[in-house]
Amino acid sequence: HQIEANARLGLLGYNLGDFDVYGKVKTSLKGMNLEAQLGTQLAESQFIFQQFRSTAFNWGNDFRKISNTYVNGQFILPIKPFNVKASVRSENIINPVYFENNASQQLNGGVAILRIATQFNYTSNHFGSSTNAVYSASSNQNVIPLPAFSVSQNVYGQFKIFSKKLLMQLGLKTQWFSAFNAYTYNPVLRQWSIQNQRFDDYPVVNPYLNAKVKSFNFGLEFFHSQMQLMGNDYYSSPGYAIMPRVLRINLRWDLSN
């Protein structure tokens, strides 16, 4: 068993009265690694939320402190060549502060958030894959909007050539999330603001190649390979288009022995 606990308390100035209490327990049971976390904190909102001055917008707010209490549990089941991980997190945020309508605002009340995540990995001599799936729910989508589902996938095959001196890896990465009222970036405030407008994700598909010989590594990634094959509406967030198709080259050479 492993038990960890720590606490912090603000005694002076801006953080007077703030606290952060955290505890974690880890154990193993029949090959499974189990972990539970519990925490609570009380903190001032960021300074940019409370004070802002520009030629376009300005405000000065005296917000109440933000309280966040959360419980998190997870288990990891390593059964070679598989690795399965699942986690559940529940948190309750009281008096959250957020950006909306070109200003910062504070909710008088709480928002409950639930997050369930799973990860499935498979690794063998010639094949590997990693799948991550997350379910999220927010009790107030107008203050903390979250997509209900999100998934990411990485699949690759690998082999050795030239008398098994050169390791080659060919793979494909992609990710997707369900439609939700996404945040939009405000360049004047340099912050992400709530816009309460439905946003549909555009999944980017990235084939890649990695090669390694001794300490030299070489990589190619064909980012946004399906550009214009699934239409022309490809945005990473409302009003901001995804970077066009591009070939990325990565090099790394470790010269230390």
Side-chain angles (χ1 to χ4, degrees), residues 82-253:
F82 303 100
N83 186 284
V84 180
K85 179 180 178 181
S87 64
V88 178
R89 180 183 178 93
S90 175
E91 60 182 304
N92 188 36
I93 306 174
I94 306 297
N95 302 328
V97 178
Y98 56 99
F99 282 104
E100 185 179 31
N101 299 326
N102 299 322
S104 61
Q105 303 184 39
Q106 185 171 43
L107 176 69
N108 184 21
V111 179
I113 295 174
L114 176 65
R115 180 180 182 271
I116 302 174
T118 59
Q119 183 181 80
F120 180 82
N121 298 325
Y122 172 79
T123 306
S124 66
N125 291 333
H126 301 291
F127 179 78
S129 67
S130 177
T131 303
N132 296 272
V134 179
Y135 168 77
S136 302
S138 170
S139 64
N140 192 333
Q141 289 283 349
N142 294 324
V143 174
I144 303 181
L146 296 172
F149 299 98
S150 60
V151 180
S152 64
Q153 176 73 54
N154 179 24
V155 180
Y156 64 88
Q158 60 185 14
F159 50 90
K160 292 183 178 181
I161 58 177
F162 300 125
S163 300
K164 297 184 178 181
K165 297 184 181 299
L166 177 62
L167 175 63
M168 299 287 293
Q169 188 181 81
L170 294 172
L172 187 73
K173 294 188 297 184
T174 187
Q175 61 182 23
W176 168 88
F177 57 79
S178 58
F180 75 115
N181 295 336
Y183 296 89
T184 185
Y185 187 72
N186 188 321
V188 177
L189 303 179
R190 299 190 296 275
Q191 300 290 335
W192 290 89
S193 301
I194 295 173
Q195 48 95 38
N196 289 317
Q197 180 180 347
R198 185 181 177 87
F199 178 73
D200 294 307
D201 181 39
Y202 172 89
V204 176
V205 179
N206 305 328
Y208 64 89
L209 178 148
N210 293 321
K212 179 180 180 181
V213 54
K214 294 185 177 180
S215 62
F216 179 76
N217 296 267
F218 171 78
L220 292 175
E221 183 184 34
F222 196 22
F223 178 81
H224 196 179
S225 61
Q226 86 283 20
M227 178 178 173
Q228 295 180 329
L229 299 178
M230 299 172 59
N232 297 318
D233 295 330
Y234 37 86
Y235 291 86
S236 58
S237 62
Y240 285 83
I242 296 175
M243 186 171 65
R245 182 190 299 121
V246 64
L247 181 65
R248 295 169 172 169
I249 301 176
N250 302 301
L251 298 173
R252 191 185 76 186
W253 194 356

Side-chain angles (χ1 to χ4, degrees), residues 30-41:
K30 296 182 179 181
M32 292 189 299
N33 298 322
L34 305 176
E35 181 177 315
Q37 302 173 4
L38 173 65
T40 182
Q41 60 181 357

